[in-house]
Amino acid sequence: MYEAVIGLEVHCELDTKSKNFSSAPNFFTEEHNTNVATVDIGLPGILPVANKEAVRKSILTSLALHCEVPNEVIFDRKNYYYADLPKGYQITQNTKPMGVHGYLDILVGKEIKRVFIHDLHLEEDTASLEHYSKYSLIDYNRSGVPLMEIVTEPCLSSADEAVTFLEDLRDIFLYLGVSEAKSNYGQMRCDVNISVKKKEDSTLGTKVEMKNINAFGDVRNAISYEIERQTALLSKGEKVIQETRRIAEDGKTYSMREKVDAIDYKYFIEPNIPSTPITNQELLELKQQVPVLKLERYLKYIDEYFLKEEDAVLFSKNRELSDYFEEVLSKGADVSLTVNFMTTCILSTLNKLEIFLKELFITPSMLSEVVKLVSSDKMSLDAAKKLLYEAIDAKKDPMELVQKKGLNQINDRDVLSKLICSLMDQNLEVVRQYVEDGNMSAVNFFVGQTMKTSNRQANPNLSREIILEELERRSDKNGS
Amino acid sequence: MYRGKSITELRSLLDSSEVTAEELFSDANTLAHRFQEDYNSFVTILDTMKYKKRDSLLDGICYALKDNFSTNGILTTASSNILKDYVPVYDATVVRKLKNAGAILLGKTVLDELAMGGTGTTGHTGVVCNPWDKKRMIGGSSAGSCACVALGIVPFSIGSDTGDSVRKPAAFGGVVGFKPTYGRISRYGLFAFASSLDHVAMFTRNVLDAAIVTDVLKGKDPHDMTTLANDEKNYVSLLNQDVKGKKLFYVKEICGIDVMEQSDDLELKETLARFHEVLDNIRKEGFEIEEVSIRKELLEAIYPSYMSISCAEATSNNSNLTGILFGPRGEGDTIEEIMFDARTKGFSEFIKRRFVLGSYILQKENQEKLFLNAQRVRRMLVDQMNQFFQKYDAMIAPCSGGPAPYFDATSEKLSDRYLILENHLAIGNFGGFPSITLPYGFVQDMPVGLNITGRVCEDDLVLAIASHIEEITGMKDLYCKVGE
């Protein structure tokens, strides 16, 4: 009879060469205060220069989340004093965020749930503080790192939904290549707002806020614990206090501070960054860069390609793998054979060599040719896999190997008959067992011998056919 | 020995090897020290020169720099206690450009604390005096930069102009003060006061020198997104463009005959009478001059709107001064206490008042009424000016209702009409218009200045018009010969 209402604020550090408003390099490092420019420490006289790549990546994400994109890029100042904020203000977006009124469809269990996005804005990260008993240290490496904040509407209702949303969002960041989104580096962080109310109530309950949770597991624990705690309070007729809580290692949440009146950040438009129009042409080009996303691909794999659930999940989760898979198929390769090759040869090679798909020598068109060898019966699956591994090792086009080494399957009936006859002549005893005793294992014996003698090049099905014919012919001859 | 010489004069002396850069620096350094006690132009006088010969009109020429421009390795205080020991680690773009042009830095000059003020009296190292009369102020905030040019110590100096901080003191010092179009010169390294109004500007003793300095300083800067694309013009060679028949206007409510006739302030009467005489002379030389009218309410809104916008931006811009990373560290048990203490001790009461104002103006519940309305006034004035600029090439006006005020001047004589005349120069900052002050005469033996403000991006035309008016008035290469 109680239900939870959850909203998320997700922070994601963008993957760019330099920081959002300075030329300092942007990458994670444990060497303190090394990725720092004068702009990042707020020295007098500095001016921000907006990073085009960060702007592009945030608009791209905004489009992928079906947001409305503004007609111009402008930034605002959010004014407050803290030791991790060297300028005394954060450059962010308040007047015109990069996107508003968007949504993301997620699959929770078997149901598709639409999560509404309130807004997506681009801002700069703060410095990080390390507190010791008698002093604190400031590391400015993070100061000015481009940070994208995505705020959902309060429309989630369970830990499952929240975590699925976060996972899908991370996959989108990776799909778009906008962020590495590693939560252990704090590249993806999340604030959770959660309240509980009676199902029939139309007004929201009292909101509790949990800030800067990195691990998705912690998000799950925090939400589950809060739903339980708040529901218990309400069912006892007690009140939930509006406050900020933190998640501890024991999976429980603890009160940090009660919410005082909201701080007035005195927003105003950043005067040092002139507004830049976003033209229709630019928007069109960006829209074309938004790929088909995970859920759509997953549904296609299930509904059109009839992939097994686990394969559909596997192939849709990673854009590189999915793109590769689809490209192999686009060259006319058979679906289930392609799945077979990719889940075995390709993935095991990536694991073994610890490389990315893009570093693999075998291109989708090479793989599709190999798949076609099998589907057109020119080569056995075994032989084709062997060929593929060889090509990977030698960093050679498999078809080139086929031509050079003559690895092509022997499909010539006359050639095979000749070979098989000679094998039977050498193994008259085995022939006799079939002719006189009707021992079927003789067939398998000759198939094996044929494959062995032909260096596994013989077409096994055709060979079996010829072997049976030849054995029958010899039986007839014997009987007559 | 080389006191009072212009850039052009010094250039030819240097080029003909009659003097060396070292001799010029040594001469200027001696003068700077000699006048420091009486006039207090400098926070820092450099006793050793840094110089590399370059192929430029400014090669070997000394200059002074307002102490709110970042200079690598040289103390930069913004005349505030909170930065009294601050030594920057980077050069402002204008400093770098001047270095690359072979100009030689003589010293860093006193300003009103953090460039907020118009008197030259609030710097942490003391009051700057007017060379023409020590009992009077030179004006501000670029007080020291103006005084050292008016004293003839250096042929040019760099200042910053947010409301009239170069163009007003220039009038009081009898020198030329030029603020090009917003974005013409990079602000990178200029300590921000109010970013949307701040301009890099300069003092010289003639218009040609202002063109020479602007040619060196202007240009797109990758560090300042608000800089304009290069205009590929040479302002020096465009000074002689034909300006016959150019149309000027003056605003009746700022400086019309009525203002003069209705006032019983003798100083104001004399200042305006001289101004209208000059207008007549300019007309005779082929300029068209007409009177236009602007709603008085709009003109009266200039000062409060300027205060609103500038204080709001200033309170944010100066939020980096917390004593955490640089500046005197405050005392306290928490980060908040430490910052609070540093800021309490570091700023004068006058500055704190502006920050409180700015903070109040930006508060959510006040923004619409105080901040956004000020922006609307700004917009209306700029639209009005642009309308005039469709018909006229430039506005002409006196910079003030009289010569430089005395230090003990009371505010009694500040009638509302007087305020319009005293504050109209901020229009140039509201619209980013190119705007130049040049002397046009003397009142009570003190110089008075007039101002020419033109269309955005037409810096060359404003300079050319000013150059012709300079010929007409004959008020050129003026400096105060005190102590000679």
Side-chain angles (χ1 to χ4, degrees), chain B residues 205-315:
Chain B
R205 285 189 299 267
N206 63 52
V207 177
L208 170 60
D209 283 1
I212 291 173
V213 175
T214 310
D215 275 335
V216 168
L217 295 185
K218 72 194 176 86
K220 180 87 195 154
D221 181 6
H223 292 295
D224 179 356
M225 289 185 81
T226 64
T227 46
L228 300 165
N230 294 330
D231 62 355
E232 312 295 347
K233 284 180 183 170
N234 182 282
Y235 295 163
V236 170
S237 59
L238 287 168
L239 270 189
N240 294 318
Q241 62 184 283
D242 189 13
V243 293
K244 276 254 156 51
K246 290 289 175 196
K247 289 182 176 165
L248 307 181
F249 71 92
Y250 67 88
V251 179
K252 185 179 161 199
E253 290 75 11
I254 295 175
C255 56
I257 302 286
D258 291 354
V259 174
M260 183 169 74
E261 285 175 351
Q262 285 162 18
S263 174
D264 45 16
D265 177 344
L266 293 177
E267 222 172 49
L268 178 75
K269 278 178 182 293
E270 195 184 342
T271 305
L272 285 180
R274 279 293 301 133
F275 174 71
H276 283 278
E277 279 171 40
V278 170
L279 287 190
D280 288 341
N281 293 337
I282 297 173
R283 274 199 192 96
K284 280 180 206 151
E285 292 298 319
F287 285 94
E288 282 184 41
I289 303 178
E290 288 177 14
E291 184 181 85
V292 303
S293 177
I294 299 182
R295 264 169 64 200
K296 214 177 160 204
E297 293 84 353
L298 197 54
L299 294 169
E300 281 167 346
I302 293 175
Y303 183 68
S305 302
Y306 166 76
M307 282 303 279
S308 255
I309 296 168
S310 66
C311 288
E313 291 186 22
T315 182

Side-chain angles (χ1 to χ4, degrees), chain A residues 35-311:
Chain A
N35 289 349
V36 181
T38 47
V39 173
D40 309 317
I41 49 177
L43 292 183
I46 54 99
L47 293 171
V49 178
N51 184 330
K52 279 186 190 157
E53 189 59 7
V55 169
R56 191 190 74 83
K57 285 183 164 163
S58 51
I59 296 177
L60 193 66
T61 313
S62 177
L63 289 171
L65 295 175
H66 313 94
C67 289
E68 292 162 24
V69 174
N71 58 349
E72 60 179 347
V73 176
I74 49 174
F75 291 92
D76 299 84
R77 284 191 193 177
K78 179 178 178 177
N79 295 285
Y80 65 95
Y81 289 94
Y82 201 60
D84 65 4
L85 192 69
K87 293 194 296 293
Y89 58 84
Q90 179 193 37
I91 303 179
T92 178
Q93 291 185 308
N94 186 52
T95 312
K96 290 191 177 182
M98 289 303 188
V100 291
H101 302 139
Y103 66 87
L104 176 64
D105 287 336
I106 60 172
L107 193 67
V108 189
K110 296 276 171 210
E111 296 285 314
I112 289 180
K113 158 109 189 171
R114 180 157 289 189
V115 181
F116 292 97
I117 309 291
H118 178 273
D119 78 85
L120 177 154
H121 56 264
L122 178 60
E123 57 189 29
E124 54 180 338
D125 213 340
T126 59
S128 41
L129 297 176
E130 285 174 20
H131 298 290
Y132 298 90
S133 56
K134 293 216 186 300
Y135 59 93
S136 298
L137 296 176
I138 309 177
D139 182 3
Y140 291 95
N141 280 346
R142 207 180 67 183
S143 175
V145 165
L147 197 63
M148 192 164 63
E149 181 172 342
I150 294 165
V151 183
T152 74
E153 298 289 352
C155 64
L156 297 156
S157 58
S158 68
D160 255 356
E161 285 183 4
V163 171
T164 305
F165 172 75
L166 288 173
E167 283 169 351
D168 284 8
L169 198 58
R170 181 178 56 193
D171 287 339
I172 284 181
F173 296 153
L174 297 174
Y175 250 77
L176 297 173
V178 298
S179 172
E180 293 182 40
K182 289 180 182 156
S183 50
N184 54 333
Y185 286 170
Q187 289 169 338
M188 193 168 166
R189 323 192 280 271
C190 176
D191 297 348
V192 179
N193 295 312
I194 177 166
S195 63
V196 167
K197 66 173 181 68
K198 276 192 181 144
K199 265 209 168 88
E200 60 270 26
D201 285 353
S202 56
T203 51
L204 294 177
T206 306
K207 183 174 78 176
V208 165
E209 197 175 29
M210 291 173 286
K211 282 192 175 294
N212 270 325
I213 314 180
N214 285 14
F216 294 172
D218 286 342
V219 173
R220 179 183 297 281
N221 292 340
I223 291 175
S224 304
Y225 184 81
E226 270 305 303
I227 294 178
E228 211 173 295
R229 186 184 71 86
Q230 292 183 28
T231 307
L233 281 174
L234 292 177
S235 23
K236 278 188 280 179
E238 290 173 30
K239 274 187 181 162
V240 174
I241 301 167
Q242 185 175 358
E243 61 183 348
T244 302
R245 297 176 74 83
R246 62 180 176 86
I247 175 93
E249 280 177 9
D250 60 8
K252 295 179 182 172
T253 70
Y254 295 91
S255 178
M256 280 174 76
R257 55 178 179 270
E258 281 193 26
K259 185 94 177 175
V260 284
D261 286 338
I263 305 164
D264 182 355
Y265 289 114
K266 304 189 180 93
Y267 287 101
F268 70 96
I269 290 174
E270 167 59 60
N272 290 316
I273 303 177
S275 89
T276 316
I278 304 175
T279 63
N280 286 335
Q281 179 63 28
E282 285 166 326
L283 209 55
L284 205 68
E285 280 169 25
L286 281 169
K287 272 182 186 156
Q288 282 162 358
Q289 289 171 35
V290 178
V292 176
L293 294 175
K294 188 173 92 165
L295 182 65
E296 205 177 315
R297 295 193 196 210
Y298 168 85
L299 293 174
K300 182 167 79 176
Y301 298 165
I302 294 282
D303 297 339
E304 291 175 32
Y305 298 166
F306 306 108
L307 258 55
K308 282 187 286 183
E309 166 85 24
E310 62 193 81
D311 290 337

Side-chain angles (χ1 to χ4, degrees), chain A residues 386-404:
Chain A
K386 204 177 151 203
L387 167 69
L388 197 58
Y389 281 124
E390 240 174 86
I392 290 167
D393 285 345
K395 294 205 158 107
K396 286 258 162 61
D397 184 340
M399 296 314 281
E400 207 178 290
L401 287 184
V402 164
Q403 272 165 14
K404 204 188 277 175

Side-chain angles (χ1 to χ4, degrees), chain B residues 35 102 153 337 347 362 395 442 446:
Chain B
F35 291 116
I153 298 173
E337 281 176 25
F347 299 124
L362 281 179
M395 174 170 85
F442 284 88
M446 290 295 292

